[in-house]
Amino acid sequence: MASKFLALSCIRNESTTRDLSPRPHYPSMPKYPKGVSVEKIIEGSEAKALFSVIGMTCSACAGSVEKAVKRLPGIREAAVDVLGNRAQVLYYPDFVNKETIREAIEDVGFQATLIEDEVNERAVQTCRIGIKGMTCTSCTRTVESVLQVIPSVQKAQVALATEEAEIQYDPNVVSHTQLMEAIEDTGFEAILISTGEDRSKIGLKIDGIRTDRSMRMVENSLQALPGVEAVDFDPTFQKVSLSYKPDQTGPRNFIQVIESMGYGRFKAMIDPEGGGKDSHRKEEISQYRRSLLWSLVFTIPVFLTSMVFVYIPGIKAGLDAKVVNMMSIGGLLRWILSSPVQFIIGRRFYTGSYKALCHGSANMDVLIALGTNAAYFYSAYSVLRAATSRDFESMDFFDTSSMLISFILLGKYLEVLAKGKTSEAIAKLMDLAPETALLLTLDSEGNVTGEQEIDSRLIQRNDVIKVIPGVKVASDGIVLWGQSHVNESMITGEARPVAKRKGDAVIGGTLNENGVLHVQATRVGSESALSQIVRLVESAQMAKAPVQKFADRISKYFVPMVIICSLFTWLTWFLAGKFNTYPKSWIPSSVNSFQLALQFGISAMVIACPCALGLATPTAIMVGTGVGASQGVLIKGGQALETAHKVNCIVFDKTGTLTIGKPVVVNTRLLQNMVLRDFYKLVAAAEVNSEHPLAKAIIEYAKKFREEENQVWPEVRGFVSVTGHGVKATVQNKQITVGNRSLMLECNIHIPVVAEEILEEAELMAQTGILVAVDELIVGVIAISDPIKPGAEEVVSILKSMKIESIIVTGDNWGTANSIGKEVGIKTIIAEAKPDQKAEKVKQLQSMGMIVAMVGDGINDSPALVAADVGMAIGAEKSFSRIRLNYIWALGYNLLGIPIAAGALFPSTGFRLPPWIAGAAMAASSVSVVCSSLLLKNYKRPKKLDHLEIRGIQIE
């Protein structure tokens, strides 16, 4: 529980859209320099500048940029588009220039570039491209270097674990098609996932199409629709993938067009298997499975003929029978069986190594190709020489080459399966959205005329959706009708239900607790807040931690060094055998000195695993950010993970962070002689029709006094809810009034001194006092509090033992803040702080040399979250420790494995590692690193939280 509230990073504000929006709004800045008259400003010419801003991830980032610009003299207005990565500034050139504005943006940590032609230039665009075929960090480095030299590409990141590239580029100079061609020129397959404009995609399955003409007709009709960017038709499976602009069209339009063309013969539906990255991942898994199975079909007989049947006398005699001269049936059979494995199934390794070498790099494919070719072609030479000789006894290693390829394919198959599980958390995030929605049909006057249940993916902009109690909101939108409270904690981090009425915004994936709402969809598909959070998590998984640069530097030299090492191993053992520097007894009876040296060389080459190094950091980050996201924690990426373990000061917000954010009754004081059960029966009956969170807390508490589980409250007449004050109702012929001081004074109900004292006492204890009057006479006071989260006091104590200072910075009043601080053990408290003041406090602490983490709800705390060194859970230290563990394993594996494979233990122990076992070990290394990262999914709170002693009291 404690780890949950130590847990927030930059969360996108629900108001983030593609429009240039000035929100989040900070206190107004001076729009012209002090001492300068307005008349002079008006005389001066106003100018506009457009900047490309790289590095923004959320609305808090946009707010930081906006604030930095508005601080400058002569700024009329500044608006920042976080999704478009641009900032538009209106300014007075007499007082400030473009370069000064650009420098101000860069001073807050973002890369800014002036876009000269403000009218015709478009914002820097970001596209994501899937890349198939990468095997190690050498591959990612090759692709990155090729992309970064393309004109107008500002930034290119390639992630091995996700097999994706994220590229920021100028669409007026280069297109995403050219970027994909550049990637394919490096030898990898490129698949477009999304572009800056083309973020909404949907897959449809079409039944009834029988001819190519019908297929082309459907494709052309869809392409002609306004807002459709691309149509990709798969005739084999009768599926179509569409990229579109959701503000112009939507999936129901596509289905309507398709079905109207076939005169009832064509049926279209949402593709049940999904599409995009998931389908490509499934295809990759399927390809590796097929390759592995075919490889085993040929490899198992090779293994049996070389290692099993040679010990069965009758079969051995048949295999040793000569075909031509000294060429045996067994040798010829192994040659025939291993050739398809080497050249057909193993073709991917030839292709990969050839294209890597063409670009001046060496990857894992090069090691595999060299190792298997050495074994295969030496064996082929040995068999051919035996066929042309009457006394040469052949010794082949066909089992080595075929088993090497089979084990490597097995490792890659297990690896892609495991890597698929690292991103399961993103799928769980998307599952927050409901599967179905109730679509309303309205007449011209806005009256409901019909209701239909549809797949939530079919919702289009401006649709009106009915949301009933206990159901999730299907889409971001505006409430048109109804009142309710919506739990938005899964999106915003605010645990307290938020009241919603006509005109209020709601977020898709949040839970409607009570009341019926009619919501007009405003942002659907990939525009929604939930999709933005998913993109933020994906971006975090793409980002490289600084520690990963270590692996990237190693990968540049790793494969060449391994090749040199293996050649040196072969040459050393060969020369040692040639000049008899070791006893002949060392040589096994089945091989000669040359073959022994060749085995050592091949083993040293194929045991090296650059994949493990490349996967050590990204897989841990993927799982760490994914697990965090599933718990409501958004981590900005590897940089934040690496900084987390250096934090020595944590700034806490209060509500929803240190406290639960859900009110509960903590005390009841009666001023008249009456039974507590009867008191709560009257109060609960009056409050049962109220939707206010405090009313729900009272009703929940009153249930404890029920005589029967399903007992109903007394009948209520004349119920009146006074917004922000309380309720009035007639219960059992008694006039019941429940509310605050204002309501009592408004109803001319006298508040006795003792009741005033109880209210003041409650406020000093950070509680809300509710007055209850029966027939205009105060009979009791109910104290309601937002309780401290379980484990909050323990966590603060542990942080103190770790020499980490804790501070509360909250917008709440001093009385409440001091009470909460005293209860959890925090002495330094800043109350009644506005969002920008929270950020200033963070900066003040940083100026004192502290590494600051900010823990807040992600909305009003967003400026402070950005200003802090890290805005995430201190528990993320667990992710960084797993990264270090992965590196220890990957480096240790290579540092120990290569010498053992090279024969370091052979002289003293006689132990040697056959090449096929070395290949299996290499495959297992990559899988083990990914599985190590997957263990993060089982993260639990530290055991020391279970047994704590605080203020002399043992906490169990």
Side-chain angles (χ1 to χ4, degrees):
M1 293 292 293
S3 63
K4 266 198 171 184
F5 69 81
L6 281 175
L8 279 174
S9 159
C10 294
I11 300 180
R12 291 187 189 272
N13 191 293
E14 67 178 19
S15 62
T16 305
T17 67
R18 281 201 54 83
D19 299 328
L20 286 173
S21 170
R23 291 178 291 175
H25 186 69
Y26 291 93
S28 59
M29 303 292 176
K31 297 185 179 179
Y32 52 88
K34 291 181 179 179
V36 179
S37 67
V38 178
E39 288 78 10
K40 185 173 181 180
I41 293 290
I42 295 174
E43 289 174 6
S45 59
E46 181 184 299
K48 181 168 70 173
L50 191 63
F51 297 88
S52 161
V53 184
I54 305 302
M56 297 188 296
T57 59
C58 62
S59 59
C61 301
S64 297
V65 172
E66 178 189 332
K67 186 175 180 182
V69 172
K70 284 186 174 181
R71 279 177 170 166
L72 297 173
I75 300 297
R76 181 173 178 269
E77 188 55 86
V80 182
D81 175 11
V82 67
L83 293 183
N85 295 305
R86 60 178 178 172
Q88 182 175 286
V89 183
L90 299 178
Y91 67 101
Y92 300 105
D94 289 346
F95 306 103
V96 69
N97 56 43
K98 296 176 182 177
E99 182 59 24
T100 304
I101 298 171
R102 189 190 67 79
E103 289 174 354
I105 296 173
E106 296 203 331
D107 285 344
V108 291
F110 303 100
Q111 180 185 341
T113 307
L114 177 67
I115 298 177
E116 294 293 345
D117 187 349
E118 301 167 9
V119 178
N120 297 322
E121 289 286 344
R122 292 162 63 190
V124 170
Q125 197 161 294
T126 300
C127 76
R128 296 172 71 90
I129 298 175
I131 305 174
K132 294 179 66 176
M134 295 190 297
T135 56
C136 60
T137 50
S138 178
C139 301
T140 63
R141 188 170 48 81
T142 299
V143 177
E144 277 183 357
S145 60
V146 167
L147 290 171
Q148 285 168 350
V149 298
I150 297 175
S152 88
V153 170
Q154 297 192 5
K155 187 178 181 181
Q157 284 189 146
V158 181
L160 178 62
T162 58
E163 295 182 329
E164 286 182 17
E166 187 174 83
I167 309 162
Q168 294 172 344
Y169 64 103
D170 184 349
N172 294 298
V173 179
V174 66
S175 67
H176 63 263
T177 305
Q178 292 171 300
L179 297 175
M180 293 172 66
E181 290 172 354
I183 292 171
E184 290 182 341
D185 287 342
T186 63
F188 305 104
E189 183 182 347
I191 303 161
L192 182 65
I193 296 175
S194 67
T195 68
E197 289 184 327
D198 170 21
R199 290 191 309 276
S200 290
K201 275 193 170 186
I202 195 163
L204 300 177
K205 190 172 188 326
I206 307 175
D207 294 331
I209 292 182
R210 299 286 181 266
T211 64
D212 291 342
R213 181 176 176 277
S214 298
M215 181 187 71
R216 285 194 300 272
M217 184 171 62
V218 169
E219 188 173 356
N220 292 337
S221 298
L222 291 172
Q223 188 70 64
L225 289 175
V228 172
E229 294 291 319
V231 179
D232 183 15
F233 210 105
D234 184 350
T236 305
F237 300 101
Q238 291 196 346
K239 294 180 181 180
V240 61
S241 176
L242 295 106
S243 304
Y244 63 97
K245 295 181 179 179
D247 59 334
Q248 298 183 31
T249 189
R252 289 208 312 281
N253 293 348
F254 308 147
I255 292 174
Q256 183 181 359
V257 167
I258 294 169
E259 294 185 346
S260 64
M261 294 178 60
Y263 302 102
R265 291 184 295 109
F266 299 164
K267 295 293 181 184
M269 67 189 78
I270 299 284
D271 185 1
E273 296 181 6
K277 188 162 58 175
D278 288 340
S279 62
H280 294 309
R281 176 76 70 186
K282 289 177 183 176
E283 183 184 347
E284 184 181 25
I285 291 172
S286 178
Q287 286 178 351
Y288 273 115
R289 185 191 297 115
R290 284 196 303 269
S291 297
L292 174 61
L293 291 176
W294 276 111
S295 178
L296 291 176
V297 167
F298 295 100
T299 299
I300 290 174
V302 173
F303 171 78
L304 292 174
T305 58
S306 62
M307 296 191 179
V308 178
F309 293 160
V310 292
Y311 298 104
I312 303 174
I315 299 178
K316 182 179 185 303
L319 293 174
D320 289 342
K322 303 300 186 268
V323 180
V324 179
N325 291 331
M326 295 298 289
M327 182 174 71
S328 66
I329 291 177
L332 179 61
L333 187 61
R334 286 190 290 273
W335 189 7
I336 294 171
L337 289 170
S338 63
S339 294
V341 180
Q342 183 72 32
F343 299 110
I344 299 176
I345 299 169
R347 181 174 178 268
R348 67 175 71 226
F349 303 118
Y350 285 101
T351 304
S353 57
Y354 170 74
K355 292 183 176 178
L357 293 172
C358 285
H359 288 88
S361 65
N363 58 12
M364 191 188 78
D365 289 339
V366 174
L367 296 180
I368 297 169
L370 285 173
T372 56
N373 277 338
Y376 178 87
F377 284 108
Y378 173 77
S379 301
Y381 159 76
S382 179
V383 171
L384 287 174
R385 184 178 174 187
T388 58
S389 173
R390 294 182 180 277
D391 55 4
F392 179 78
E393 189 76 29
S394 69
M395 174 63 188
D396 64 78
F397 299 125
F398 288 121
D399 58 319
T400 293
S401 65
S402 57
M403 289 176 70
L404 259 177
I405 290 173
S406 294
F407 273 115
I408 289 162
L409 289 174
L410 173 62
K412 294 300 291 182
Y413 174 62
L414 295 175
E415 185 183 314
V416 295
L417 279 177
K419 283 198 293 186
K421 293 183 181 296
T422 61
S423 56
E424 278 181 353
I426 290 182
K428 289 180 180 178
L429 270 180
M430 294 305 295
D431 287 343
L432 286 176
E435 292 184 359
T436 61
L438 293 174
L439 177 66
L440 297 180
T441 305
L442 307 180
D443 60 20
S444 57
E445 296 180 355
N447 298 315
V448 177
T449 59
E451 179 180 307
Q452 177 188 5
E453 186 176 40
I454 63 169
D455 189 311
S456 61
R457 291 172 293 179
L458 293 175
I459 296 174
Q460 298 182 184
R461 185 175 289 187
N462 296 324
D463 282 348
V464 178
I465 305 299
K466 179 181 179 181
V467 187
I468 60 177
V471 171
K472 291 179 180 178
V473 180
S475 170
D476 293 7
I478 301 294
V479 176
L480 296 181
W481 177 88
Q483 294 185 13
S484 183
H485 284 81
V486 176
N487 186 339
E488 299 182 340
S489 59
M490 64 283 291
I491 302 294
T492 66
E494 177 59 56
R496 182 178 297 173
V498 181
K500 300 293 181 182
R501 61 190 63 202
K502 184 177 180 180
D504 290 340
V506 292
I507 307 172
T510 56
L511 182 65
N512 181 28
E513 294 199 341
N514 49 35
V516 177
L517 298 176
H518 291 181
V519 176
Q520 183 177 36
T522 55
R523 293 188 296 176
V524 296
S526 59
E527 288 185 319
S528 67
L530 190 58
S531 294
Q532 290 178 12
I533 289 174
V534 169
R535 286 204 298 275
L536 177 59
V537 175
E538 289 177 335
S539 295
Q541 293 178 348
M542 287 289 297
K544 292 184 179 180
V547 70
Q548 195 171 343
K549 295 175 183 176
F550 167 72
D552 291 343
R553 285 195 298 268
I554 290 178
S555 70
K556 186 176 181 180
Y557 309 103
F558 185 82
V559 175
M561 286 174 61
V562 169
I563 294 171
I564 293 170
C565 177
S566 61
L567 289 174
F568 178 76
T569 298
W570 169 79
L571 186 61
T572 301
W573 280 102
F574 173 70
L575 293 177
K578 185 83 172 174
F579 296 105
N580 300 316
T581 56
Y582 60 82
K584 294 288 186 183
S585 59
W586 285 13
I587 304 174
S589 58
S590 58
V591 297
N592 57 37
S593 60
F594 175 82
Q595 293 166 341
L596 179 66
L598 184 64
Q599 281 192 348
F600 281 131
I602 293 173
S603 295
M605 184 177 295
V606 298
I607 200 172
C609 188
C611 295
L613 284 170
L615 293 169
T617 296
T619 53
I621 289 176
M622 280 183 71
V623 178
T625 53
V627 170
S630 66
Q631 299 293 322
V633 182
L634 295 186
I635 301 171
K636 288 180 66 178
Q639 177 74 53
L641 285 170
E642 186 161 351
T643 307
H645 75 291
K646 302 175 184 176
V647 167
N648 54 21
C649 176
I650 295 188
V651 176
F652 290 98
D653 179 43
K654 181 186 71 66
T655 306
T657 303
L658 290 174
T659 63
I660 289 177
K662 182 179 180 181
V664 295
V665 173
V666 294
N667 192 18
T668 307
R669 300 280 292 275
L670 297 179
L671 306 183
Q672 300 288 329
N673 291 323
M674 62 187 305
V675 179
L676 194 60
R677 182 180 65 248
D678 296 337
F679 170 81
Y680 269 106
K681 184 186 295 184
L682 296 173
V683 175
E687 291 277 24
V688 74
N689 292 316
S690 173
E691 297 178 350
H692 196 279
L694 296 182
K696 294 179 69 175
I698 291 173
I699 294 166
E700 197 63 33
Y701 186 75
K703 289 178 181 178
K704 297 179 181 179
F705 301 98
R706 280 180 167 178
E707 295 175 356
E708 299 175 10
E709 183 65 28
N710 298 320
Q711 182 181 351
V712 296
W713 304 115
E715 184 180 352
V716 176
R717 292 181 289 106
F719 174 81
V720 177
S721 176
V722 183
T723 305
H725 296 287
V727 299
K728 296 186 293 183
T730 301
V731 182
Q732 295 179 342
N733 296 321
K734 296 178 181 179
Q735 181 62 41
I736 309 299
T737 308
V738 184
N740 56 19
R741 283 191 188 94
S742 300
L743 180 62
M744 300 300 160
L745 295 174
E746 184 181 315
C747 296
N748 297 316
I749 298 175
H750 172 67
I751 303 175
V753 175
V754 64
E756 288 282 8
E757 291 174 350
I758 295 172
L759 288 177
E760 291 176 6
E761 183 182 333
E763 289 170 1
L764 287 174
M765 298 175 66
Q767 298 169 358
T768 301
I770 302 294
L771 296 166
V772 178
V774 177
D775 293 333
E776 299 187 351
L777 181 67
I778 300 292
V779 298
V781 181
I782 300 173
I784 298 178
S785 174
D786 183 5
I788 299 294
K789 279 190 175 179
E793 188 177 7
E794 294 94 321
V795 168
V796 171
S797 176
I798 284 181
L799 292 175
K800 191 178 296 183
S801 69
M802 296 167 63
K803 309 299 182 187
I804 297 176
E805 183 178 354
S806 298
I807 297 173
I808 293 178
V809 179
T810 178
D812 214 333
N813 63 73
W814 281 100
T816 301
N818 283 322
S819 176
I820 296 297
K822 185 177 180 180
E823 195 167 345
V824 299
I826 297 178
K827 295 181 180 179
T828 307
I829 298 166
I830 298 170
E832 299 178 6
K834 296 178 181 178
D836 58 329
Q837 292 172 330
K838 292 183 181 183
E840 290 300 326
K841 180 59 182 178
V842 168
K843 291 176 183 178
Q844 181 184 340
L845 292 169
Q846 289 170 326
S847 68
M848 296 165 61
M850 292 185 172
I851 307 298
V852 182
M854 173 66 195
V855 184
D857 63 12
I859 304 301
N860 60 344
D861 297 317
S862 53
L865 285 166
V866 167
D869 295 286
V870 57
M872 47 164 263
I874 198 69
E877 195 170 336
K878 183 70 176 178
S879 296
F880 192 76
S881 67
R882 186 52 51 95
I883 291 172
R884 286 189 291 195
L885 177 64
N886 287 352
Y887 273 122
I888 290 171
W889 165 250
L891 282 172
Y893 163 85
N894 283 296
L895 291 174
L896 290 175
I898 293 175
I900 291 172
L905 300 179
F906 186 69
S908 58
T909 65
F911 177 78
R912 62 191 177 97
L913 206 62
W916 65 271
I917 293 181
M922 181 194 71
S925 176
S926 298
V927 177
S928 63
V929 166
V930 178
C931 290
S932 171
S933 296
L934 283 173
L935 290 176
L936 280 173
K937 298 173 82 172
N938 300 322
Y939 173 77
K940 292 183 175 62
R941 64 184 243 155
K943 287 186 177 180
K944 56 186 175 182
L945 282 177
D946 298 332
H947 303 284
L948 289 172
E949 186 174 302
I950 298 174
R951 300 172 189 166
I953 301 173
Q954 185 71 25
I955 305 296
E956 293 293 343

